[in-house]
Amino acid sequence: EAEVAQSPRYKITEKSQAVAFWCDPISGHATLYWYRQILGQGPELLVQFQDESVVDDSQLPKDRFSAERLKGVDSTLKIQPAELGDSAMYLCASSPESYEQYFGPGTRLTVT
Amino acid sequence: DQQVKQNSPSLSVQEGRISILNCDYTNSMFDYFLWYKKYPAEGPTFLISISSIKDKNEDGRFTVFLNKSAKHLSLHIVPSQPGDSAVYFCAASFFGNEKLTFGTGTRLTIIP
């Protein structure tokens, strides 16, 4: 069964450092999402791509976060500089033009 | 402003009995609702969904009920099994926008 791949699974970084996460969606899925999930809360959308175009990045803190999906396939989410409050699970999801989204295993980020 | 609310952070149910998880929403524009299940260190997995034109959708042991007038939905699991122990998120969307708004989750524990 096809799955969304994410790496790394875990990342520990010091504040003010740069960090990047990678996501490879299910083949053929045009829509890709990045979510942030803080402990005890539900996932919150950071950015949504349709192919290589950004559809919604209204909740992305653009002063320090950036996301790209250059060829409309895999995607990278970057944080620079990381802050203590960025510690969270970062989830990537993809969907085949439906409401149903398929999630990857996530990257657990700890900022020290 | 929490548009999707799961007011019970945790629930314990005896194996074999019915588990009922509740979700309330405030935005009357929502017309599609989903339930996701999440195990520790994994991404959420889609479980079941319901469109606002229906009031019930059933899939095996899982049934979702929607009460539009009360802006309330519930997930019933019958019979509950130990493997059902997980965090359950409800999510909502509206026509023409695939963005999901998640609740804060309910941790279900099935007691053998």
Side-chain angles (χ1 to χ4, degrees):
Chain A
E1 184 176 316
E3 295 180 342
V4 176
Q6 288 188 249
S7 67
R9 293 292 307 274
Y10 304 91
K11 180 70 178 179
I12 300 174
T13 190
E14 294 182 349
K15 63 179 181 178
S16 80
Q17 296 298 304
V19 63
F21 314 128
W22 177 80
C23 172
D24 191 13
I26 294 172
S27 178
H29 283 194
T31 311
L32 183 147
Y33 310 81
W34 282 102
Y35 288 86
R36 176 170 60 186
Q37 185 185 5
I38 296 170
L39 194 63
Q41 299 182 20
E44 183 179 30
L45 181 70
L46 291 174
V47 61
Q48 175 183 347
F49 289 93
Q50 181 69 27
D51 298 311
E52 66 275 6
S53 301
V54 173
V55 173
D56 184 347
D57 63 356
S58 57
Q59 299 303 311
L60 188 71
K62 298 182 188 61
D63 57 336
R64 298 185 300 107
F65 285 65
S66 64
E68 60 183 17
R69 193 185 183 198
L70 293 176
K71 297 182 180 178
V73 180
D74 58 339
S75 175
T76 302
L77 178 69
K78 297 179 182 177
I79 308 175
Q80 181 174 19
E83 296 181 353
L84 294 176
D86 297 331
S87 295
M89 174 76 85
Y90 290 83
L91 295 161
C92 178
S94 67
S95 72
E97 297 186 8
S98 71
Y99 294 102
E100 187 177 320
Q101 298 179 18
Y102 297 82
F103 284 82
T107 297
R108 168 71 67 188
L109 173 67
T110 301
V111 182
T112 62
Chain B
D1 177 29
Q2 191 72 25
Q3 297 188 67
V4 179
K5 302 176 185 179
Q6 294 176 256
N7 292 319
S8 298
S10 62
L11 175 68
S12 295
V13 175
Q14 207 77 29
E15 180 180 359
R17 306 295 286 268
I18 182 171
S19 295
I20 300 176
L21 295 97
N22 294 303
C23 179
D24 297 291
Y25 61 96
T26 58
N27 189 339
S28 57
M29 296 291 289
F30 288 140
D31 61 3
Y32 198 80
F33 304 89
L34 307 89
W35 284 94
Y36 280 82
K37 175 180 178 180
K38 186 180 184 305
Y39 292 121
E42 294 183 14
T45 303
F46 170 75
L47 201 55
I48 192 169
S49 62
I50 188 167
S51 163
S52 61
I53 61 174
K54 295 184 176 181
D55 54 17
K56 176 183 175 181
N57 188 26
E58 193 171 350
D59 184 1
R61 297 186 297 114
F62 302 91
T63 303
V64 56
F65 295 92
L66 175 63
N67 182 333
K68 283 190 297 181
S69 61
K71 296 191 181 69
H72 176 83
L73 65 154
S74 61
L75 174 68
H76 292 209
I77 306 174
V78 181
S80 300
Q81 299 175 353
D84 296 330
S85 294
V87 177
Y88 289 78
F89 292 98
C90 72
S93 184
F94 52 85
F95 182 74
N97 188 334
E98 296 160 345
K99 173 181 175 179
L100 294 180
T101 300
F102 283 85
T104 53
T106 296
R107 180 177 300 279
L108 175 65
T109 302
I110 305 302
I111 304 164

